[in-house]
Amino acid sequence: MATLDSSRPAAGALFAGLSLRRWKLIGLAATLATACALPFLVSGYQLLLANQVVVYAIALLGLNILTGYNGQFSLGHGAFYAIGAYTTAILLDKTGIPYWATIPLAGGLCLVAGFLFGLPALRLEGHYLALATFALAIATPQLLKYKRFDFLTGGVQGIVITAPDAPFGLPLRGDQWLYFFCLAWTVLLFVIGWNLLRGRTGRALVAIRDHPIAAATMGIDNALYKSVTFGVSAMYTGIAGALGALLAQFVSPDSFDFFLSVRFLVGIVVGGLASMAGAFFGAIFIEFVPNIADQISKAAPQAIYGAVLIAFIFFMPTGVVGMLRILGARLGRFVAPGPGR
Amino acid sequence: MQAFLHQMLSGFATGGIYASIALALVMIYQTTHHVNFAQGEMATFSTYLAWQMIELGLPYWLAFLLTLLFAFILGAAIERIIVRPFYKAPVLSVVAVFIGLLLIINSLSGALFTYTIKPFASPFPSDAWYGSAYLSAHEVGMIFVTLVVLALVFAFFRYTPLGLAMRAVAENPVSSRLVGVRVGWMLALGWGLAGLIGAVAGTMTAPVVYLDPNMMFGVLLYGFAGALLGGIDNAWGAVLGGFIVGILQNLAGAYVVGTELMVTVALGIIVGILVIKPSGLFGRTIVTRV
């Protein structure tokens, strides 16, 4: 994974007179503008799908911080998504806390839960961590169904929640408001993530991934960084889960099964490991591909996930973002031949 | 007391299934250090084939043997075609490939045989003379079959030249190649055997848990727990671990947590072992040279 960045074009490469950095900024601005205009352009159902993409992007960024940047495995992030979703649902169901306040609470709870799960996980590497989180993913629906927790979780029936309306008399439909609410959270969390990953902390995470012993020699507290990363990653996924619960207006144990965790894994591999933009590409993939494939047969989405997972690892281990980078590099050389040619 | 004994013995019976799965996992782990997450799905798919053959009117034991043959070929083919290119890949890639395999085989079971739960006949009639208050006839048969398979596997590794070659490959692939062992084929053979053992576990457990595409998830977790308890690089430890975990599970189910939290118990065991003694009871502690 250490060679992920080797395909980046040289800093001076220009396309049509603008630097790559400039192009990236333009792309980001265009994406944001489109995202803001979307609720007024598409139908209610399409907006729901778009909103789900936005929510999944947060979860995928969370998993990517852990797996892509820090090199720790999780096949069980569906569990944290479930904790986030259930926290919001239970708070809305049992207490009078306003919906917007439940999101940070869900995030906080997942931060603690992830940190605690990360502590023993520190001793585990590679396969072992994959195994422990695999078990967590499979056990999650069963724990949520457990009879003694029925009074909170509603058991197999789950919990129905009502979606919020637009506040301050804004002229927005409920789903439009919710979309902007989720989008605001996404932007906030991506800005936080960007600040976290580009500086000293980000370099420490990558160093631990690439060579833990060398990282420790450089004065990085591996244990602290790894468990905190687990917590932060769980927090992102938990917030996504909380927003997802508002979006679905319903939580039930069977929507948080093993395959949810697998979706996240597929998402980060397809989008691109150790890449923030990859979270979006991955989210688009895991939201739309099963929707299309479902029309063929019930088994098709899973089969496609499996085949795509293997194909990406085999042919394109850097994901969509890696593919774009290589394309960009080729294009850069083509449009503006560097001094070397 | 009688109830307790009954729980112990039927725990022993399920333990045999877990021991088989644990053994299959360890066989693959020993040679390539890969944890085969698709082991359970391979077993499920083989079991579906057995079901289909029995539906078509084949006698049970003929269908059983054909299933084992198929499972062997399936395992070896998966190794040669899909897993081989990732022999030395980073852990992330390997795990992702196994999860991909799990998904593909799982959806294949669902697409071909539908997701509805099916009953699966036991070859041991429920009124047979060996059934009793302590153990049902199927449980006795299950213990018998798993013990026979384990004994055969042991004999294969201990007394045949092929078994010796496979052990050599697990121990030291480079030197084995130098003395003329076909390392690649030994790995494929190991996968084939793992598939075969898994198929035995699948067909034996299907009458108890009923046949559906996800039936082996729980069994696989307990197989993992057993393998970890015994030490994932020690075949006999893993078998013993499987039996212990089976008994523990039954006792916990009967007296502590109830049957609803079966999978959660496996999670607890796995995390517990990994935290307290990651090398398991009989495993080697791995010391890495810096």
Side-chain angles (χ1 to χ4, degrees), chain A residues 214-304:
Chain A
T217 323
M218 301 293 284
I220 298 167
D221 186 344
N222 283 12
L224 183 72
Y225 268 98
K226 279 173 97 171
S227 42
V228 170
T229 307
F230 215 107
V232 170
S233 166
M235 180 189 82
Y236 270 75
T237 310
I239 290 177
L243 295 171
L246 287 178
L247 198 58
Q249 303 180 28
F250 175 60
V251 290
S252 80
D254 288 321
S255 39
F256 306 107
D257 59 0
F258 169 64
F259 295 106
L260 180 67
S261 302
V262 169
R263 284 184 123 183
F264 294 154
L265 178 73
V266 174
I268 61 166
V269 169
V270 168
L273 291 164
S275 146
M276 296 193 69
F280 268 102
F281 293 117
I284 290 171
F285 180 86
I286 60 172
E287 178 58 28
F288 287 105
V289 168
N291 263 319
I292 299 163
D294 232 5
Q295 292 156 7
I296 306 169
S297 96
K298 199 188 163 200
Q302 257 189 52
I304 288 177

Side-chain angles (χ1 to χ4, degrees), chain A residues 120 123 127 142 147 273 302, chain B residues 33 92 106 260 263-264 275:
Chain A
R123 297 188 52 175
H127 291 301
Q142 202 179 42
K147 265 206 301 259
L273 291 164
Q302 257 189 52
Chain B
H33 284 250
L92 176 80
N106 185 287
E260 287 171 15
V263 181
T264 314
V275 171

Side-chain angles (χ1 to χ4, degrees), chain B residues 40-60:
Chain B
E41 307 312 302
M42 286 161 60
T44 310
F45 190 73
S46 310
T47 312
Y48 266 112
L49 283 182
W51 175 83
Q52 187 63 59
M53 284 190 264
I54 294 167
E55 283 290 292
L56 289 176
L58 261 66
Y60 183 92

Side-chain angles (χ1 to χ4, degrees), chain B residues 11 14-16 18-20 22 222-223 225-227 229-230 237-247:
Chain B
T14 24
Y18 301 155
S20 310
Y222 275 98
L229 181 64
V239 168
L240 191 66
F243 279 111
I244 296 175
V245 166
I247 294 170

